[in-house]
Amino acid sequence: MELVLLTLPVSTGRAGSTLELEHVQVMELCRRPISVAEVAARMRLPLVVIRVLLADLVDCGTIAPQAPNPRAPAHDRALLERLLDGLQRI
């Protein structure tokens, strides 16, 4: 699955073996479903860096990407405001 802005990476509970500090911080954020855009905003890192960190975690089985809820309204104002806020923080 491609890690796009609204993909929801979630921790699998598996421990990774040689993880860097940034990987551990991302895993902490992903204890609950959180969008890739939100992870980037909270980590204050560029989206491309977050995608690399998440791809590493997916490869070692500590993160599982989930598709966003297709039943969520595409015009959900609260979601769009959170996304905009996250993008502005980057």
Side-chain angles (χ1 to χ4, degrees):
M1 169 182 285
E2 185 180 354
L3 296 167
V4 296
L5 286 175
L6 295 179
T7 300
L8 302 171
V10 180
S11 176
T12 63
R14 295 183 190 156
S17 55
T18 55
L19 297 178
E20 301 289 328
L21 176 62
E22 291 84 5
H23 289 101
V24 174
Q25 292 171 332
V26 169
M27 285 177 51
E28 290 293 318
L29 287 173
C30 295
R31 285 185 179 181
R32 63 172 183 80
I34 181 174
S35 71
V36 171
E38 265 189 272
V39 174
R42 291 184 186 198
M43 295 283 297
R44 296 179 184 232
L45 291 172
L47 184 60
V48 67
V49 173
I50 294 302
R51 283 184 176 158
V52 169
L53 293 171
L54 286 168
D56 292 345
L57 294 169
V58 168
D59 288 346
C60 71
T62 58
I63 293 287
Q66 297 179 355
N69 184 352
R71 289 185 266 167
H75 61 282
D76 182 352
R77 183 174 179 90
L79 173 65
L80 294 174
E81 287 176 356
R82 286 194 317 264
L83 179 60
L84 178 61
D85 183 48
L87 291 172
Q88 288 174 339
R89 289 184 198 176
I90 296 174

Coordinates of all heavy atoms in Angstrom, one line a residue:
M1 N 0.8 -1.2 0.0 CA 0.0 0.0 0.0 C 0.9 1.2 0.0 O 1.9 1.3 0.7 CB -0.9 0.0 1.2 CG -1.6 1.3 1.4 SD -2.6 1.4 2.9 CE -4.0 0.4 2.4
E2 N 0.5 2.2 -0.8 CA 1.3 3.5 -0.9 C 1.0 4.3 0.3 O -0.2 4.4 0.8 CB 0.9 4.2 -2.2 CG 1.7 5.4 -2.4 CD 1.4 6.2 -3.6 OE1 0.5 5.7 -4.4 OE2 1.9 7.3 -3.8
L3 N 2.0 5.0 0.9 CA 1.8 5.8 2.1 C 1.4 7.2 1.6 O 2.3 8.1 1.4 CB 3.0 5.8 2.9 CG 3.4 4.4 3.6 CD1 4.8 4.5 4.1 CD2 2.3 4.1 4.6
V4 N 0.1 7.5 1.4 CA -0.3 8.8 1.0 C -0.7 9.6 2.2 O -0.7 9.1 3.3 CB -1.5 8.7 0.0 CG1 -1.0 8.0 -1.3 CG2 -2.6 8.0 0.6
L5 N -1.0 10.9 2.0 CA -1.3 11.8 3.2 C -2.4 11.2 4.2 O -2.2 11.4 5.4 CB -1.8 13.1 2.7 CG -0.8 14.0 2.1 CD1 -1.5 15.3 1.5 CD2 0.3 14.4 3.1
L6 N -3.4 10.6 3.7 CA -4.5 10.1 4.5 C -4.4 8.6 4.9 O -5.2 8.1 5.6 CB -5.8 10.4 3.9 CG -6.2 11.8 3.7 CD1 -7.5 12.0 3.0 CD2 -6.1 12.6 5.0
T7 N -3.3 8.0 4.5 CA -3.1 6.6 5.0 C -2.9 6.6 6.5 O -2.4 7.5 7.1 CB -1.8 6.0 4.4 OG1 -1.9 6.0 3.0 CG2 -1.5 4.6 4.9
L8 N -3.5 5.6 7.2 CA -3.4 5.5 8.6 C -2.5 4.4 9.1 O -2.8 3.3 9.2 CB -4.8 5.2 9.2 CG -5.9 6.2 8.8 CD1 -7.3 5.7 9.2 CD2 -5.6 7.6 9.4
P9 N -1.2 4.8 9.4 CA -0.3 3.8 9.9 C -0.6 3.5 11.4 O -0.9 4.4 12.2 CB 1.1 4.4 9.8 CG 0.8 5.9 9.7 CD -0.6 6.1 9.2
V10 N -0.6 2.2 11.8 CA -1.0 1.8 13.1 C 0.1 0.8 13.6 O 0.5 -0.1 12.9 CB -2.4 1.1 13.2 CG1 -2.7 0.7 14.6 CG2 -3.4 2.0 12.6
S11 N 0.5 1.0 14.8 CA 1.5 0.1 15.4 C 0.9 -1.4 15.5 O -0.2 -1.5 15.9 CB 1.9 0.6 16.8 OG 2.7 -0.3 17.4
T12 N 1.8 -2.3 15.2 CA 1.3 -3.7 15.3 C 1.6 -4.3 16.7 O 1.2 -5.4 17.0 CB 2.1 -4.6 14.3 OG1 3.5 -4.6 14.5 CG2 1.8 -4.1 12.9
G13 N 2.4 -3.6 17.5 CA 2.8 -4.1 18.8 C 4.1 -4.9 18.8 O 4.6 -5.3 19.8
R14 N 4.6 -5.2 17.6 CA 5.9 -5.9 17.4 C 7.0 -4.9 17.7 O 7.0 -3.8 17.3 CB 6.0 -6.5 16.0 CG 5.1 -7.5 15.7 CD 5.4 -8.1 14.3 NE 4.3 -9.0 13.9 CZ 4.0 -9.2 12.7 NH1 4.7 -8.7 11.7 NH2 3.0 -10.0 12.3
A15 N 8.1 -5.4 18.3 CA 9.2 -4.6 18.6 C 10.2 -4.7 17.4 O 10.4 -5.8 16.9 CB 9.9 -5.1 19.9
G16 N 10.7 -3.6 17.0 CA 11.7 -3.6 15.9 C 13.1 -3.8 16.5 O 13.3 -3.4 17.7
S17 N 14.0 -4.4 15.8 CA 15.3 -4.7 16.4 C 16.2 -3.4 16.3 O 16.4 -2.9 17.0 CB 16.0 -5.9 15.7 OG 16.0 -5.7 14.3
T18 N 16.7 -2.9 15.4 CA 17.6 -1.8 15.5 C 17.0 -0.5 15.0 O 17.2 -0.1 13.9 CB 18.9 -2.1 14.7 OG1 18.5 -2.4 13.4 CG2 19.7 -3.2 15.3
L19 N 16.2 0.1 15.8 CA 15.4 1.3 15.4 C 16.1 2.5 15.9 O 16.7 2.6 17.0 CB 14.0 1.2 16.0 CG 13.1 0.1 15.5 CD1 11.8 0.2 16.2 CD2 13.0 0.1 14.0
E20 N 16.1 3.5 15.1 CA 16.6 4.9 15.4 C 15.6 5.6 16.2 O 14.4 5.2 16.3 CB 16.9 5.7 14.1 CG 17.9 5.0 13.2 CD 19.3 5.0 13.7 OE1 19.7 6.0 14.4 OE2 20.1 4.1 13.4
L21 N 16.0 6.7 16.9 CA 15.2 7.4 17.8 C 13.9 7.9 17.0 O 12.8 7.9 17.5 CB 15.9 8.6 18.3 CG 15.1 9.6 19.2 CD1 14.5 8.9 20.4 CD2 15.9 10.8 19.6
E22 N 14.1 8.4 15.8 CA 13.0 8.9 15.0 C 11.9 7.8 14.7 O 10.7 8.0 14.7 CB 13.4 9.5 13.6 CG 14.2 10.8 13.8 CD 15.7 10.6 14.1 OE1 16.1 9.4 14.1 OE2 16.4 11.6 14.3
H23 N 12.4 6.5 14.5 CA 11.5 5.4 14.3 C 10.7 5.2 15.5 O 9.5 4.9 15.4 CB 12.3 4.1 13.9 CG 12.9 4.2 12.6 ND1 14.2 4.4 12.4 CD2 12.4 3.9 11.3 CE1 14.5 4.4 11.1 NE2 13.4 4.1 10.4
V24 N 11.3 5.2 16.7 CA 10.6 5.0 17.9 C 9.6 6.1 18.2 O 8.4 5.8 18.6 CB 11.6 4.9 19.1 CG1 10.9 4.8 20.4 CG2 12.6 3.7 18.9
Q25 N 9.9 7.3 17.9 CA 9.0 8.4 18.0 C 7.7 8.2 17.1 O 6.6 8.5 17.5 CB 9.7 9.8 17.8 CG 10.7 10.1 18.8 CD 11.5 11.3 18.4 OE1 11.7 11.6 17.3 NE2 12.0 12.0 19.5
V26 N 8.0 7.8 15.9 CA 6.9 7.5 14.9 C 6.0 6.4 15.5 O 4.8 6.5 15.4 CB 7.4 7.2 13.5 CG1 6.3 6.7 12.6 CG2 8.1 8.5 12.9
M27 N 6.6 5.4 16.0 CA 5.9 4.2 16.5 C 5.0 4.7 17.7 O 3.8 4.2 17.8 CB 6.8 3.1 17.0 CG 7.4 2.3 15.9 SD 8.6 1.1 16.5 CE 7.6 0.2 17.7
E28 N 5.5 5.6 18.5 CA 4.7 6.1 19.6 C 3.5 6.8 19.1 O 2.4 6.7 19.7 CB 5.5 7.0 20.5 CG 6.6 6.3 21.3 CD 6.1 5.4 22.4 OE1 5.1 5.8 23.1 OE2 6.6 4.3 22.5
L29 N 3.6 7.6 18.1 CA 2.5 8.4 17.5 C 1.5 7.4 16.9 O 0.3 7.7 16.9 CB 3.0 9.3 16.5 CG 3.7 10.6 17.0 CD1 4.3 11.4 15.8 CD2 2.8 11.5 17.8
C30 N 1.9 6.3 16.4 CA 1.0 5.4 15.7 C 0.4 4.3 16.6 O -0.1 3.3 16.1 CB 1.8 4.7 14.6 SG 2.4 5.9 13.3
R31 N 0.4 4.6 17.9 CA -0.3 3.6 18.8 C -1.8 3.6 18.5 O -2.5 2.6 18.7 CB -0.1 4.0 20.2 CG 1.3 3.7 20.7 CD 1.4 3.9 22.2 NE 2.7 3.6 22.7 CZ 3.1 3.7 23.9 NH1 2.2 4.2 24.8 NH2 4.3 3.4 24.3
R32 N -2.3 4.7 18.0 CA -3.7 4.8 17.5 C -3.6 5.2 16.0 O -2.6 5.8 15.6 CB -4.5 5.8 18.3 CG -4.0 7.2 18.2 CD -4.9 8.2 18.9 NE -4.5 9.5 18.7 CZ -4.7 10.3 17.6 NH1 -5.3 9.8 16.6 NH2 -4.2 11.5 17.6
P33 N -4.6 4.9 15.3 CA -4.6 5.4 13.9 C -4.4 6.9 13.8 O -5.1 7.7 14.4 CB -6.0 5.0 13.3 CG -6.4 3.9 14.2 CD -5.9 4.2 15.6
I34 N -3.5 7.3 13.0 CA -3.1 8.7 12.7 C -2.7 8.8 11.3 O -2.0 8.0 10.8 CB -2.1 9.2 13.8 CG1 -1.7 10.6 13.6 CG2 -0.8 8.3 13.7 CD1 -0.7 11.2 14.7
S35 N -3.1 9.9 10.6 CA -2.7 10.0 9.2 C -1.2 10.3 9.1 O -0.6 10.8 10.0 CB -3.5 11.1 8.6 OG -3.1 12.4 9.0
V36 N -0.7 10.0 7.9 CA 0.7 10.2 7.6 C 0.9 11.8 7.7 O 2.0 12.2 8.2 CB 1.0 9.7 6.1 CG1 2.4 10.2 5.7 CG2 0.9 8.2 6.1
A37 N 0.0 12.6 7.2 CA 0.1 14.0 7.3 C 0.2 14.5 8.8 O 1.1 15.3 9.1 CB -1.1 14.7 6.6
E38 N -0.5 13.9 9.7 CA -0.5 14.2 11.1 C 0.9 13.8 11.7 O 1.4 14.5 12.5 CB -1.6 13.6 11.9 CG -2.8 14.5 12.0 CD -3.8 13.8 13.0 OE1 -4.6 13.1 12.5 OE2 -3.7 14.1 14.2
V39 N 1.4 12.7 11.3 CA 2.7 12.2 11.8 C 3.7 13.2 11.4 O 4.6 13.7 12.2 CB 3.0 10.8 11.3 CG1 4.5 10.4 11.7 CG2 2.1 9.8 11.8
A40 N 3.7 13.7 10.2 CA 4.7 14.6 9.7 C 4.6 15.9 10.4 O 5.6 16.5 10.8 CB 4.5 14.9 8.2
A41 N 3.4 16.4 10.7 CA 3.1 17.6 11.4 C 3.6 17.5 12.8 O 4.3 18.4 13.3 CB 1.7 18.0 11.4
R42 N 3.3 16.5 13.5 CA 3.7 16.3 14.9 C 5.2 16.1 15.1 O 5.8 16.5 16.1 CB 2.9 15.2 15.6 CG 1.5 15.5 15.7 CD 0.7 14.5 16.4 NE -0.7 14.8 16.4 CZ -1.5 14.2 17.2 NH1 -1.1 13.4 18.1 NH2 -2.8 14.6 17.2
M43 N 5.8 15.5 14.1 CA 7.3 15.2 14.2 C 8.0 16.5 13.6 O 9.2 16.6 13.8 CB 7.7 14.0 13.3 CG 7.1 12.7 13.8 SD 8.0 12.1 15.2 CE 9.7 11.8 14.5
R44 N 7.3 17.4 13.0 CA 7.9 18.6 12.4 C 9.0 18.2 11.4 O 10.1 18.7 11.4 CB 8.4 19.5 13.4 CG 7.3 20.1 14.3 CD 7.8 21.0 15.3 NE 6.7 21.4 16.2 CZ 6.4 22.6 16.4 NH1 7.1 23.6 15.9 NH2 5.3 22.9 17.2
L45 N 8.7 17.2 10.6 CA 9.6 16.7 9.6 C 8.9 16.7 8.2 O 7.7 16.6 8.2 CB 10.1 15.3 9.9 CG 11.0 15.1 11.1 CD1 11.2 13.6 11.4 CD2 12.3 15.8 10.9
P46 N 9.7 16.9 7.1 CA 9.1 16.8 5.8 C 8.4 15.5 5.5 O 8.8 14.4 6.0 CB 10.2 17.0 4.9 CG 11.3 17.6 5.7 CD 11.1 17.1 7.1
L47 N 7.3 15.6 4.8 CA 6.5 14.4 4.4 C 7.4 13.3 3.8 O 7.2 12.1 4.2 CB 5.4 14.8 3.5 CG 4.4 13.7 3.1 CD1 3.7 13.2 4.3 CD2 3.4 14.2 2.1
V48 N 8.3 13.6 3.0 CA 9.2 12.6 2.4 C 10.0 11.8 3.4 O 10.2 10.6 3.3 CB 10.1 13.2 1.3 CG1 11.1 14.1 1.8 CG2 10.7 12.1 0.4
V49 N 10.4 12.5 4.5 CA 11.2 11.9 5.5 C 10.3 10.9 6.3 O 10.6 9.8 6.6 CB 11.8 12.9 6.5 CG1 12.4 12.3 7.7 CG2 12.8 13.7 5.7
I50 N 9.1 11.4 6.6 CA 8.1 10.5 7.3 C 7.7 9.3 6.5 O 7.6 8.2 7.1 CB 6.8 11.3 7.7 CG1 7.2 12.4 8.7 CG2 5.7 10.4 8.2 CD1 7.8 11.9 10.0
R51 N 7.6 9.4 5.2 CA 7.3 8.3 4.4 C 8.4 7.3 4.4 O 8.2 6.1 4.5 CB 7.0 8.7 3.0 CG 5.7 9.3 2.8 CD 5.4 9.6 1.3 NE 4.1 10.1 1.1 CZ 3.8 10.8 0.0 NH1 4.7 11.2 -0.9 NH2 2.5 11.2 -0.1
V52 N 9.6 7.7 4.4 CA 10.8 6.8 4.5 C 10.8 6.1 5.9 O 11.0 4.9 6.0 CB 12.1 7.5 4.3 CG1 13.3 6.7 4.6 CG2 12.2 8.0 2.9
L53 N 10.6 6.8 7.0 CA 10.6 6.2 8.3 C 9.4 5.2 8.4 O 9.6 4.1 8.9 CB 10.4 7.3 9.4 CG 11.6 8.3 9.6 CD1 11.2 9.4 10.5 CD2 12.8 7.5 10.1
L54 N 8.3 5.6 7.9 CA 7.1 4.6 8.0 C 7.4 3.4 7.1 O 7.0 2.3 7.5 CB 5.8 5.3 7.5 CG 5.2 6.3 8.5 CD1 4.2 7.2 7.9 CD2 4.7 5.5 9.8
A55 N 8.0 3.6 5.9 CA 8.3 2.4 5.0 C 9.2 1.5 5.8 O 9.1 0.3 5.7 CB 8.9 2.9 3.7
D56 N 10.2 2.0 6.5 CA 11.1 1.2 7.2 C 10.4 0.4 8.3 O 10.6 -0.8 8.4 CB 12.2 2.1 8.0 CG 13.2 2.7 7.1 OD1 13.3 2.4 5.9 OD2 13.9 3.7 7.5
L57 N 9.4 1.0 9.0 CA 8.7 0.4 10.0 C 7.7 -0.7 9.4 O 7.5 -1.7 10.1 CB 7.9 1.4 10.9 CG 8.9 2.3 11.7 CD1 8.1 3.5 12.3 CD2 9.6 1.5 12.8
V58 N 7.2 -0.4 8.3 CA 6.3 -1.4 7.6 C 7.1 -2.6 7.2 O 6.7 -3.7 7.4 CB 5.6 -0.8 6.4 CG1 4.9 -1.8 5.5 CG2 4.6 0.3 6.8
D59 N 8.3 -2.3 6.7 CA 9.2 -3.4 6.2 C 9.6 -4.4 7.4 O 9.7 -5.6 7.2 CB 10.5 -2.9 5.6 CG 10.2 -2.3 4.2 OD1 9.1 -2.6 3.6 OD2 11.1 -1.6 3.7
C60 N 9.8 -3.8 8.6 CA 10.2 -4.6 9.7 C 8.9 -5.1 10.5 O 9.1 -5.8 11.5 CB 11.2 -4.0 10.6 SG 10.6 -2.6 11.6
G61 N 7.7 -4.8 10.1 CA 6.5 -5.3 10.7 C 6.0 -4.6 11.9 O 5.1 -5.2 12.6
T62 N 6.6 -3.5 12.3 CA 6.1 -2.8 13.5 C 5.0 -1.8 13.2 O 4.3 -1.4 14.1 CB 7.3 -2.0 14.1 OG1 7.8 -1.1 13.2 CG2 8.4 -3.0 14.6
I63 N 4.7 -1.5 11.9 CA 3.7 -0.6 11.5 C 2.9 -1.3 10.4 O 3.5 -1.9 9.5 CB 4.2 0.8 11.0 CG1 4.9 1.5 12.2 CG2 3.1 1.6 10.4 CD1 3.9 2.1 13.2
A64 N 1.5 -1.2 10.5 CA 0.7 -1.7 9.4 C -0.1 -0.5 8.9 O -0.8 0.2 9.6 CB -0.3 -2.7 10.0
P65 N 0.0 -0.2 7.6 CA -0.8 0.9 7.0 C -2.2 0.4 6.8 O -2.5 -0.7 6.4 CB 0.0 1.1 5.7 CG 0.6 -0.1 5.3 CD 0.9 -0.9 6.6
Q66 N -3.1 1.3 7.0 CA -4.5 1.1 6.8 C -5.0 2.2 5.9 O -4.6 3.3 6.0 CB -5.3 1.1 8.1 CG -4.9 0.1 9.1 CD -5.8 0.2 10.4 OE1 -6.5 1.1 10.5 NE2 -5.6 -0.8 11.2
A67 N -6.0 1.8 5.0 CA -6.6 2.8 4.1 C -7.5 3.7 5.0 O -8.1 3.2 6.0 CB -7.4 2.1 3.0
P68 N -7.7 4.9 4.6 CA -8.6 5.8 5.3 C -10.0 5.2 5.2 O -10.3 4.5 4.3 CB -8.5 7.1 4.7 CG -7.6 7.0 3.5 CD -7.0 5.6 3.5
N69 N -10.8 5.6 6.1 CA -12.2 5.1 6.2 C -13.0 5.7 4.9 O -13.2 6.9 4.8 CB -12.9 5.6 7.4 CG -14.3 5.1 7.6 OD1 -14.9 4.5 6.6 ND2 -14.9 5.3 8.7
P70 N -13.4 4.8 4.0 CA -14.1 5.3 2.8 C -15.4 5.8 3.1 O -16.0 6.6 2.3 CB -14.1 4.0 1.9 CG -14.1 2.9 2.9 CD -13.2 3.4 4.0
R71 N -16.0 5.5 4.3 CA -17.3 6.0 4.6 C -17.3 7.4 5.2 O -18.3 8.0 5.4 CB -18.0 5.0 5.5 CG -18.4 3.8 4.8 CD -19.2 2.9 5.7 NE -18.3 2.0 6.3 CZ -18.6 1.2 7.3 NH1 -19.7 1.2 7.8 NH2 -17.7 0.3 7.7
A72 N -16.1 7.8 5.6 CA -15.9 9.2 6.2 C -16.2 10.2 5.1 O -15.8 10.1 4.0 CB -14.5 9.4 6.7
P73 N -17.1 11.2 5.4 CA -17.4 12.2 4.4 C -16.2 12.9 3.9 O -15.3 13.3 4.7 CB -18.4 13.1 5.1 CG -18.5 12.7 6.5 CD -17.7 11.4 6.7
A74 N -16.0 13.1 2.6 CA -14.9 13.7 2.0 C -14.9 15.2 2.4 O -13.8 15.9 2.3 CB -14.9 13.5 0.5
H75 N -16.0 15.7 2.8 CA -16.1 17.2 3.1 C -16.2 17.4 4.6 O -16.6 18.4 5.1 CB -17.3 17.8 2.4 CG -18.6 17.1 2.8 ND1 -19.0 15.9 2.4 CD2 -19.5 17.5 3.7 CE1 -20.2 15.6 2.9 NE2 -20.5 16.6 3.8
D76 N -15.7 16.5 5.4 CA -15.6 16.6 6.9 C -14.8 17.8 7.2 O -13.6 17.8 7.1 CB -15.1 15.3 7.5 CG -15.1 15.3 9.0 OD1 -15.3 16.4 9.6 OD2 -14.8 14.3 9.6
R77 N -15.4 18.9 7.6 CA -14.7 20.1 7.9 C -13.6 19.9 9.0 O -12.5 20.5 8.9 CB -15.7 21.2 8.3 CG -15.0 22.5 8.5 CD -16.0 23.6 8.8 NE -15.4 24.9 9.0 CZ -15.1 25.8 8.1 NH1 -15.4 25.5 6.8 NH2 -14.5 26.9 8.4
A78 N -13.9 19.2 10.1 CA -12.9 19.0 11.1 C -11.7 18.3 10.6 O -10.5 18.7 10.9 CB -13.5 18.2 12.3
L79 N -11.9 17.3 9.8 CA -10.8 16.6 9.2 C -9.9 17.5 8.3 O -8.7 17.5 8.3 CB -11.3 15.3 8.4 CG -10.2 14.6 7.6 CD1 -9.2 14.0 8.5 CD2 -10.8 13.6 6.7
L80 N -10.6 18.2 7.4 CA -9.9 19.1 6.5 C -9.1 20.2 7.3 O -8.0 20.6 6.9 CB -10.9 19.8 5.6 CG -11.5 18.8 4.6 CD1 -12.6 19.5 3.7 CD2 -10.5 18.2 3.7
E81 N -9.7 20.7 8.4 CA -9.0 21.7 9.2 C -7.8 21.1 9.9 O -6.7 21.7 10.0 CB -9.9 22.3 10.3 CG -11.0 23.3 9.7 CD -12.0 23.8 10.7 OE1 -11.9 23.4 11.8 OE2 -12.8 24.6 10.2
R82 N -7.9 19.9 10.4 CA -6.7 19.2 11.0 C -5.6 19.0 9.9 O -4.4 19.2 10.2 CB -7.1 17.9 11.6 CG -7.9 18.0 12.9 CD -8.0 16.7 13.7 NE -8.3 15.6 12.9 CZ -9.5 15.0 12.8 NH1 -10.5 15.6 13.3 NH2 -9.6 13.9 12.1
L83 N -6.0 18.6 8.7 CA -5.1 18.3 7.6 C -4.4 19.7 7.3 O -3.2 19.7 7.2 CB -5.8 17.8 6.4 CG -4.9 17.5 5.2 CD1 -3.8 16.5 5.5 CD2 -5.8 17.0 4.1
L84 N -5.1 20.7 7.1 CA -4.6 22.0 6.8 C -3.6 22.5 7.9 O -2.5 23.0 7.6 CB -5.7 23.1 6.6 CG -5.2 24.5 6.3 CD1 -4.4 24.5 5.0 CD2 -6.4 25.4 6.2
D85 N -4.0 22.3 9.2 CA -3.2 22.7 10.3 C -1.9 21.9 10.2 O -0.8 22.5 10.4 CB -3.9 22.4 11.6 CG -3.1 22.9 12.8 OD1 -2.6 24.0 12.8 OD2 -3.0 22.1 13.8
G86 N -2.0 20.6 10.0 CA -0.8 19.8 9.9 C 0.2 20.2 8.8 O 1.4 20.3 8.9
L87 N -0.4 20.5 7.6 CA 0.4 20.9 6.5 C 1.0 22.3 6.7 O 2.2 22.5 6.3 CB -0.5 21.0 5.2 CG -1.0 19.6 4.7 CD1 -1.9 19.8 3.6 CD2 0.2 18.8 4.3
Q88 N 0.4 23.2 7.4 CA 0.9 24.5 7.7 C 2.1 24.4 8.7 O 3.0 25.2 8.7 CB -0.1 25.4 8.3 CG -1.1 25.9 7.2 CD -2.3 26.7 7.8 OE1 -2.6 26.6 8.9 NE2 -2.9 27.4 6.9
R89 N 2.1 23.3 9.6 CA 3.2 23.1 10.5 C 4.4 22.7 9.8 O 5.5 22.8 10.3 CB 2.8 22.1 11.6 CG 1.7 22.7 12.5 CD 1.5 21.7 13.6 NE 0.2 22.0 14.3 CZ -0.3 21.2 15.2 NH1 0.3 20.1 15.6 NH2 -1.4 21.6 15.8
I90 N 4.3 22.0 8.7 CA 5.4 21.5 8.0 C 6.1 22.6 7.3 O 6.9 23.2 7.2 CB 5.0 20.5 6.9 CG1 4.4 19.3 7.5 CG2 6.2 20.1 6.0 CD1 3.8 18.3 6.6

